[in-house]
Amino acid sequence: MGGEVDSMIYFTSDLHFYYKKVVKHANRPYSDVDEMNERLISNWNKKVKEEDDIYILGDFTMKGTEYATDVLKRLNGKKYLIKGNHDKFATQETFDNSLFEWVKDYYELQYKNTIFILFHYPIEEWNHYFRGSIHLHGHQHNNSEYNIKNRENGLKRYDVGVDANNMSPASADEILEFFDCLIV
């Protein structure tokens, strides 16, 4: 028996590793940036396994290639980056791009008969909007109420940022279940 390992797909954004001001600005439950960094890494690695795919929808860190590299090496999973407005490190010559499977501005991912539209910024309407696609974004540092209100209003737009997801990545299945789209 044994054999194949089931991998999962996760999404996150707006981690802002090493950015002191985000602790206060986003009202994060940490005493300082060091505690934030360590807890975000721990929360990520509790959920995401080495064989899993994780899509980071921007704003990983503003602190440059050395800091980005140090954190990325500590995080589980095969990492994909949708660039946000604070991901300048990803285009610098000193950054080792092999730490990501790829880096893009926008991506459409099909999973379990649902198309996920991945973009750092929330948009009003997206590809396959009227066919059940789900737009995943970050940028706004919303709380979980934002996602609930979108669902209540029939809007399949979901903030995958840590601030809206208990400081942790969200799985594709969790998001499908949230919108009652999970087909078992």
Side-chain angles (χ1 to χ4, degrees):
M1 311 300 149
E4 292 193 29
V5 176
D6 286 332
S7 63
M8 294 288 295
I9 295 175
Y10 290 93
F11 307 96
T12 193
S13 76
D14 299 285
L15 297 123
H16 288 284
F17 283 109
Y18 295 99
Y19 185 49
K20 293 177 186 175
K21 291 181 182 178
V22 78
V23 176
K24 184 177 179 185
H25 167 71
N27 197 28
R28 292 187 175 176
Y30 308 114
S31 58
D32 60 31
V33 73
D34 294 326
E35 180 187 2
M36 179 189 78
N37 290 343
E38 291 307 312
R39 293 285 299 281
L40 289 174
I41 291 167
S42 174
N43 291 349
W44 175 308
N45 287 336
K46 282 179 188 171
K47 281 185 113 171
V48 180
K49 305 302 175 218
E50 280 302 326
E51 65 274 8
D52 294 336
D53 292 321
I54 181 155
Y55 294 83
I56 304 162
L57 275 58
D59 291 0
F60 185 75
T61 185
M62 301 165 62
K63 290 294 185 175
T65 61
E66 186 177 321
Y67 290 96
T69 299
D70 288 345
V71 175
L72 284 164
K73 286 182 176 180
R74 294 180 60 194
L75 296 171
N76 292 339
K78 294 177 276 189
K79 297 169 257 329
Y80 304 80
L81 178 66
I82 302 292
K83 288 188 294 187
N85 51 308
H86 294 298
D87 295 313
K88 310 260 185 293
F89 73 91
T91 57
Q92 294 176 345
E93 281 184 32
T94 56
F95 180 67
D96 177 5
N97 281 310
S98 73
L99 294 169
F100 288 116
E101 300 297 313
W102 50 247
V103 175
K104 298 178 186 245
D105 293 315
Y106 172 95
Y107 188 66
E108 296 184 10
L109 171 74
Q110 179 141 5
Y111 175 75
K112 292 189 177 179
N113 298 318
T114 300
I115 296 173
F116 289 97
I117 307 299
L118 312 183
F119 191 51
H120 176 64
Y121 305 98
I123 48 182
E124 194 67 30
E125 192 173 304
W126 49 90
N127 196 22
H128 301 284
Y129 177 87
F130 294 107
R131 294 186 185 148
S133 66
I134 300 173
H135 169 40
L136 305 180
H137 70 87
H139 186 65
Q140 294 179 312
H141 296 271
N142 294 302
N143 62 32
S144 59
E145 284 299 311
Y146 168 88
N147 291 329
I148 292 167
K149 285 181 182 174
N150 280 342
R151 180 181 63 193
E152 288 171 353
N153 292 327
L155 188 61
K156 289 189 173 181
R157 181 171 61 204
Y158 190 94
D159 185 340
V160 297
V162 293
D163 300 296
N165 293 281
N166 297 313
M167 300 295 144
S168 185
S171 75
D173 287 341
E174 288 169 334
I175 295 167
L176 289 173
E177 188 174 315
F178 178 81
F179 286 111
D180 293 324
C181 300
L182 188 59
I183 300 167
V184 182

